[in-house]
Amino acid sequence: MQSAAGQAIVQGRGGLGAGLAVLLCAFAWPVFSAEFAGGGFALFGSAGQLSTVEQQRLSRGGTVVRTVDRDDAELGVFAATRFAGTASGLVRWTRAITELKRAPGVRAVGRFSGVPTLRDLDGLVVDDDDLQALRRCVPGDCALKLDAAAMTAARAAITDAGDGWRGAATRAFKDILLARVRQHQEGGLAGLPPVADKAVPIHAAETFRGLMAGVEPIAVVPGLSGVFGLQAPVSGRRDIESFYYWSKERFDAGKDVVSVTYVVMTTTGASSGISAVVLSQQIFASHYVNGAIGMTAVLQDSATGQRFLAYLNRSSVDLFTGPFRLFRRAAEQRIERQVPVL
């Protein structure tokens, strides 16, 4: 029978979905073998360093969930639980992202085609507040997290549309999302223009470097080289599957956030202690978040046969300082209850 903790970890915003809950189990087992203790969880860097007590909790069917923030500009969560599913099951569920992300607070979600088009965004309804913000955006002063060129082009299209400005603004907003995907395909994070909503531009590559500090998935899984980093992702590899998706989600106390995420999936030999890895990079968010990474893995201790599902999310945020500290803690508590998040 599955524990309540096991059920909770697969529910919520961006998570692995309630359907995956049936794959988790909770049997009593001893602590990890010495080889596995220093192996599989190394994928998660210092966040994956488990104490003996945490190893025992996982082996007995419990769940480990803790925040791993490093400063006021970061929101981080690590989670792990026993797993009765398979590596292929994780990949299959991730592939079905529109089902996976069904949860309270998720307004809409859609997957981009292999060759992204505007039709992929037909299910996105842009809030009127965001349309109004787009109408007023100028570099250095914008309520949306956009690059300067996108702001300028959007305002020109909106102005030219006259009374039909709302339709033009909706089209311009979707054009921005589509352009972001294409820019990432062609140049990776390093090729994305900086966000210019405030006086100091924010570069996606710099944000990514900060979030990945101390976490080296490519060092642990060399097959990820060329598909998860700063440069344009390599396409056409049989051992790697990747896609982009968009979502519109409600924060507990704030605006709806439209985001675009790049996902990479691979299965590897269980001899390394890692059976499957799913990595994600956020390449656009309309509000609050400057960048985010997610790592989900199926790990197996070959000595004991135990299998685990582990997850790490780190987000760079510009909201949780000063008077927003209480909001920060509310967000942390929500994620602690509702992880993992892709």
Side-chain angles (χ1 to χ4, degrees):
M1 189 173 85
Q2 181 185 318
S3 67
Q7 293 174 355
I9 198 171
V10 295
Q11 297 175 342
R13 186 177 69 86
L16 291 180
L20 196 57
V22 298
L23 301 178
L24 300 179
C25 64
F27 298 105
W29 288 82
V31 295
F32 303 160
S33 66
E35 180 181 0
F36 182 66
F41 281 92
L43 179 70
F44 299 92
S46 59
Q49 294 177 357
L50 303 176
S51 67
T52 300
V53 171
E54 288 175 325
Q55 291 182 33
Q56 291 173 335
R57 185 184 307 157
L58 289 176
S59 295
R60 292 168 182 166
T63 299
V64 171
V65 181
R66 45 181 157 84
T67 57
V68 290
D69 312 338
R70 292 176 292 191
D71 55 50
D72 283 338
E74 183 179 298
L75 182 64
V77 174
F78 172 80
T81 189
R82 282 286 302 280
F83 187 53
T86 62
S88 60
L90 174 63
V91 170
R92 185 170 60 252
W93 272 95
T94 305
R95 193 181 292 135
I97 194 69
T98 56
E99 298 297 322
L100 205 59
K101 285 182 68 69
R102 282 190 178 180
V106 179
R107 309 289 200 188
V109 59
R111 178 168 165 164
F112 283 94
S113 306
V115 179
T117 69
L118 274 177
R119 293 192 63 182
D120 297 328
L121 293 160
D122 283 350
L124 174 62
V125 177
V126 185
D127 291 345
D128 192 67
D129 285 350
D130 286 345
L131 297 180
Q132 294 281 1
L134 187 58
R135 194 181 189 186
R136 298 188 295 267
C137 273
V138 294
D141 184 12
C142 182
L144 296 167
K145 290 188 169 294
L146 309 177
D147 64 87
M151 293 180 199
T152 302
R155 288 195 68 190
I158 292 169
T159 299
D160 290 345
D163 292 341
W165 73 268
R166 278 188 170 81
T170 298
R171 170 63 186 263
F173 188 93
K174 293 183 177 182
D175 281 341
I176 291 168
L177 269 59
L178 180 61
R180 202 75 173 171
V181 172
R182 290 173 174 171
Q183 288 163 345
H184 186 268
Q185 287 179 320
E186 295 172 2
L189 290 176
L192 296 179
V195 170
D197 60 326
K198 297 180 175 62
V200 179
I202 297 173
H203 295 265
E206 294 178 4
T207 301
F208 178 77
R209 288 191 189 98
L211 293 173
M212 293 297 291
V215 182
E216 299 182 359
I218 294 174
V220 180
V221 185
L224 294 170
S225 177
V227 295
F228 191 78
L230 300 178
Q231 305 307 312
V234 176
S235 60
R237 286 179 47 179
R238 294 184 178 180
D239 60 329
I240 297 289
E241 184 175 345
S242 64
F243 63 90
Y244 297 83
Y245 74 91
W246 61 267
S247 65
K248 180 181 179 181
E249 305 177 39
R250 164 68 72 171
F251 277 63
D252 288 347
K255 303 174 182 178
D256 284 359
V257 177
V258 177
S259 63
V260 177
T261 303
Y262 168 64
V263 179
V264 176
M265 304 180 288
T266 185
T267 55
T268 63
S271 59
S272 65
I274 304 171
S275 302
V277 180
V278 177
L279 304 179
S280 64
Q281 295 175 347
Q282 179 187 281
I283 63 172
F284 174 86
S286 56
H287 302 286
Y288 309 137
V289 186
N290 298 316
I293 58 105
M295 302 171 58
T296 306
V298 176
L299 310 174
Q300 183 164 348
D301 187 341
S302 58
T304 64
Q306 294 180 356
R307 192 177 298 128
F308 304 91
L309 184 69
Y311 169 80
L312 173 68
N313 176 274
R314 281 180 174 158
S315 300
S316 172
V317 296
D318 60 7
L319 182 65
F320 302 129
T321 57
F324 296 105
R325 288 180 183 274
L326 292 178
F327 183 87
R328 175 194 181 95
R329 186 54 195 151
E332 288 177 333
Q333 290 173 338
R334 181 186 179 196
I335 295 177
E336 287 171 2
R337 295 191 304 267
Q338 299 180 334
V339 292
V341 178
L342 270 176

